[in-house]
Structures are given as C-alpha cells and as structure tokens.
Amino acid sequence: MEALFQAGSILMKVNTLQGKKMVESGLQSGDLSLSQSWPAYLPLPADLEILQQKVAGVQRESEDFKEEALKAIHYLEDAFCQMSGVLAQQEEQVARVKQRLREEEDRGIVRNKVLTFLLPREKQLREHCQRLENMLVRSHTRPRAIRKSLAD
C-alpha cells in the first residue's frame, strides 16, 4: 500500500492510509506538520532544508495572496459604497424630478381650468364690447335733434 509521491523534485515514500489520516487531521487542526510516527520516512537533512524553503515560499505566497485578496475585497467594498452613494443621489434626483413634474402637471391643470373659465368669458366680453361699439357708432350718426331729445 505504499506509493511514491513527488513534491516538487523530492520523491517521498508514503503509507497512503497513514498519510490520509495525517492529512485529514492536519487539515482539520490547521497543523500540517509530520507526526512522530513518521521518522523513517523523513527526507535527508539537505532535502529537508529544500523542502522547508519551498514550504516557506508557499507560505509567503499564501500571505501575499491573502494580502492581495484583502486589498481586492477592500477595493470592492469601497466601489460598492461609492456606487451605493451614487445610486442614492440618483434616486433623490429622480424623486425631485418626479415632484417637479407633478407640480408642473398641477399648474397645467390649473391653467387649463382658468382658460376654460376665461375663454367663454372673453367671448362674452368681446360680444358685449362689439354691441357697445355699434351703439356708439350709431349714436354719432343720428341727427342732433334726436340726440337732444334722447338726452332730455
């Protein structure tokens, strides 16, 4: 049941059942160090140094990735906040425009009512003025005697 696994350029002989248990317990606890039951399978000190350097490199890359991911998350949060602010401003503008439209419609309705009232009244006044004008013109064309008798 033992198999050869390659980690980078290092070949390791691993008991797969024990390895599976170690990996599972290491993943659960967050500790991926080798247990004491594995001393026979440890690589030579030179290989161990290379492996430790590689692990340290992976850890640095992991930390760099975490930092970059956090920066990206903060950037996205800032962008979301800005977009939310802009959206709120636009909603306020829309509300103000709708209010102005309603007010303008109300003024238009009032204007129409006033015009509906005033136009027939204007027509009546024009007709009355026309009658008065006709009476005035006729009164100037009558003879003076008739006018004098009308004045008495």
Side-chain angles (χ1 to χ4, degrees), residues 101-119:
L101 283 173
R102 271 188 241 111
E103 291 169 358
E104 197 59 39
E105 286 174 357
D106 291 346
R107 281 194 288 268
I109 290 170
V110 169
R111 278 188 210 113
N112 285 339
K113 286 181 179 179
V114 168
L115 287 174
T116 302
F117 172 77
L118 289 178
L119 287 175

Short mmCIF file of all heavy atoms in Angstrom, two decimals, residues 101-119:
data_model
loop_
_atom_site.label_atom_id
_atom_site.label_comp_id
_atom_site.label_asym_id
_atom_site.label_seq_id
_atom_site.Cartn_x
_atom_site.Cartn_y
_atom_site.Cartn_z
N LEU A 101 -42.34 67.40 -11.93
CA LEU A 101 -43.30 67.05 -12.98
C LEU A 101 -44.73 67.10 -12.44
O LEU A 101 -45.63 67.61 -13.11
CB LEU A 101 -43.00 65.66 -13.54
CG LEU A 101 -41.84 65.56 -14.52
CD1 LEU A 101 -41.55 64.11 -14.86
CD2 LEU A 101 -42.13 66.35 -15.77
N ARG A 102 -44.93 66.55 -11.22
CA ARG A 102 -46.26 66.61 -10.62
C ARG A 102 -46.71 68.05 -10.42
O ARG A 102 -47.86 68.40 -10.73
CB ARG A 102 -46.26 65.88 -9.27
CG ARG A 102 -46.57 64.41 -9.40
CD ARG A 102 -46.75 63.76 -8.04
NE ARG A 102 -45.72 62.73 -7.93
CZ ARG A 102 -44.67 62.76 -7.12
NH1 ARG A 102 -44.51 63.72 -6.27
NH2 ARG A 102 -43.79 61.80 -7.14
N GLU A 103 -45.79 68.89 -9.93
CA GLU A 103 -46.13 70.30 -9.72
C GLU A 103 -46.46 70.97 -11.05
O GLU A 103 -47.42 71.75 -11.13
CB GLU A 103 -44.98 71.03 -9.03
CG GLU A 103 -44.76 70.60 -7.59
CD GLU A 103 -43.46 71.13 -7.00
OE1 GLU A 103 -42.68 71.80 -7.73
OE2 GLU A 103 -43.21 70.86 -5.81
N GLU A 104 -45.68 70.66 -12.07
CA GLU A 104 -45.93 71.25 -13.39
C GLU A 104 -47.26 70.76 -13.95
O GLU A 104 -48.01 71.53 -14.55
CB GLU A 104 -44.77 70.90 -14.33
CG GLU A 104 -44.67 71.74 -15.56
CD GLU A 104 -44.50 73.22 -15.26
OE1 GLU A 104 -43.76 73.58 -14.33
OE2 GLU A 104 -45.12 74.02 -15.98
N GLU A 105 -47.55 69.49 -13.76
CA GLU A 105 -48.85 68.96 -14.20
C GLU A 105 -49.98 69.65 -13.46
O GLU A 105 -51.00 70.01 -14.06
CB GLU A 105 -48.91 67.45 -13.97
CG GLU A 105 -48.08 66.65 -14.94
CD GLU A 105 -48.04 65.16 -14.60
OE1 GLU A 105 -48.61 64.75 -13.55
OE2 GLU A 105 -47.43 64.40 -15.36
N ASP A 106 -49.78 69.85 -12.16
CA ASP A 106 -50.81 70.55 -11.36
C ASP A 106 -51.02 71.97 -11.88
O ASP A 106 -52.16 72.42 -12.03
CB ASP A 106 -50.44 70.58 -9.88
CG ASP A 106 -50.49 69.20 -9.23
OD1 ASP A 106 -51.07 68.28 -9.84
OD2 ASP A 106 -49.95 69.05 -8.12
N ARG A 107 -49.92 72.66 -12.16
CA ARG A 107 -50.02 74.02 -12.71
C ARG A 107 -50.72 73.99 -14.07
O ARG A 107 -51.52 74.86 -14.38
CB ARG A 107 -48.64 74.67 -12.82
CG ARG A 107 -48.12 75.20 -11.51
CD ARG A 107 -46.93 76.12 -11.73
NE ARG A 107 -45.74 75.40 -12.12
CZ ARG A 107 -44.82 74.94 -11.28
NH1 ARG A 107 -44.96 75.13 -9.99
NH2 ARG A 107 -43.77 74.30 -11.71
N GLY A 108 -50.40 72.99 -14.86
CA GLY A 108 -51.06 72.85 -16.17
C GLY A 108 -52.55 72.63 -16.03
O GLY A 108 -53.36 73.20 -16.77
N ILE A 109 -52.92 71.82 -15.06
CA ILE A 109 -54.35 71.57 -14.82
C ILE A 109 -55.03 72.86 -14.39
O ILE A 109 -56.12 73.20 -14.88
CB ILE A 109 -54.53 70.45 -13.76
CG1 ILE A 109 -54.09 69.11 -14.34
CG2 ILE A 109 -55.96 70.39 -13.26
CD1 ILE A 109 -53.98 67.99 -13.32
N VAL A 110 -54.38 73.61 -13.50
CA VAL A 110 -54.95 74.88 -13.04
C VAL A 110 -55.07 75.85 -14.22
O VAL A 110 -56.09 76.53 -14.39
CB VAL A 110 -54.10 75.47 -11.90
CG1 VAL A 110 -54.51 76.90 -11.59
CG2 VAL A 110 -54.21 74.60 -10.65
N ARG A 111 -54.01 75.91 -15.05
CA ARG A 111 -54.06 76.80 -16.23
C ARG A 111 -55.23 76.42 -17.14
O ARG A 111 -55.94 77.29 -17.64
CB ARG A 111 -52.75 76.70 -17.02
CG ARG A 111 -51.65 77.53 -16.48
CD ARG A 111 -50.45 77.53 -17.44
NE ARG A 111 -49.24 77.68 -16.68
CZ ARG A 111 -48.29 76.77 -16.54
NH1 ARG A 111 -48.39 75.62 -17.16
NH2 ARG A 111 -47.23 77.00 -15.80
N ASN A 112 -55.39 75.14 -17.36
CA ASN A 112 -56.50 74.68 -18.22
C ASN A 112 -57.85 75.07 -17.64
O ASN A 112 -58.75 75.49 -18.38
CB ASN A 112 -56.43 73.17 -18.44
CG ASN A 112 -55.34 72.79 -19.42
OD1 ASN A 112 -54.89 73.61 -20.22
ND2 ASN A 112 -54.90 71.55 -19.35
N LYS A 113 -57.98 74.92 -16.32
CA LYS A 113 -59.24 75.31 -15.69
C LYS A 113 -59.49 76.81 -15.84
O LYS A 113 -60.60 77.24 -16.13
CB LYS A 113 -59.24 74.92 -14.21
CG LYS A 113 -59.40 73.43 -13.97
CD LYS A 113 -59.40 73.11 -12.49
CE LYS A 113 -59.58 71.62 -12.27
NZ LYS A 113 -59.57 71.28 -10.84
N VAL A 114 -58.42 77.59 -15.61
CA VAL A 114 -58.55 79.05 -15.74
C VAL A 114 -58.90 79.42 -17.18
O VAL A 114 -59.80 80.23 -17.43
CB VAL A 114 -57.26 79.75 -15.28
CG1 VAL A 114 -57.23 81.21 -15.68
CG2 VAL A 114 -57.07 79.59 -13.78
N LEU A 115 -58.21 78.80 -18.13
CA LEU A 115 -58.50 79.09 -19.54
C LEU A 115 -59.92 78.65 -19.90
O LEU A 115 -60.62 79.35 -20.64
CB LEU A 115 -57.49 78.40 -20.45
CG LEU A 115 -56.10 79.02 -20.47
CD1 LEU A 115 -55.16 78.15 -21.31
CD2 LEU A 115 -56.14 80.43 -21.00
N THR A 116 -60.32 77.51 -19.38
CA THR A 116 -61.68 77.03 -19.65
C THR A 116 -62.71 78.02 -19.12
O THR A 116 -63.75 78.24 -19.74
CB THR A 116 -61.88 75.65 -18.99
OG1 THR A 116 -60.91 74.75 -19.51
CG2 THR A 116 -63.26 75.10 -19.28
N PHE A 117 -62.39 78.63 -18.00
CA PHE A 117 -63.30 79.63 -17.45
C PHE A 117 -63.21 80.95 -18.21
O PHE A 117 -64.23 81.58 -18.50
CB PHE A 117 -63.00 79.86 -15.96
CG PHE A 117 -63.74 81.00 -15.36
CD1 PHE A 117 -65.08 80.87 -15.02
CD2 PHE A 117 -63.11 82.22 -15.15
CE1 PHE A 117 -65.77 81.93 -14.47
CE2 PHE A 117 -63.80 83.28 -14.60
CZ PHE A 117 -65.13 83.15 -14.26
N LEU A 118 -61.98 81.37 -18.52
CA LEU A 118 -61.79 82.71 -19.10
C LEU A 118 -62.16 82.80 -20.58
O LEU A 118 -62.62 83.86 -21.03
CB LEU A 118 -60.35 83.17 -18.91
CG LEU A 118 -59.94 83.52 -17.48
CD1 LEU A 118 -58.47 83.91 -17.45
CD2 LEU A 118 -60.81 84.65 -16.94
N LEU A 119 -61.95 81.77 -21.34
CA LEU A 119 -62.22 81.87 -22.78
C LEU A 119 -63.69 82.17 -23.09
O LEU A 119 -63.97 83.08 -23.89
CB LEU A 119 -61.74 80.60 -23.50
CG LEU A 119 -60.21 80.48 -23.63
CD1 LEU A 119 -59.84 79.13 -24.24
CD2 LEU A 119 -59.64 81.61 -24.45
#
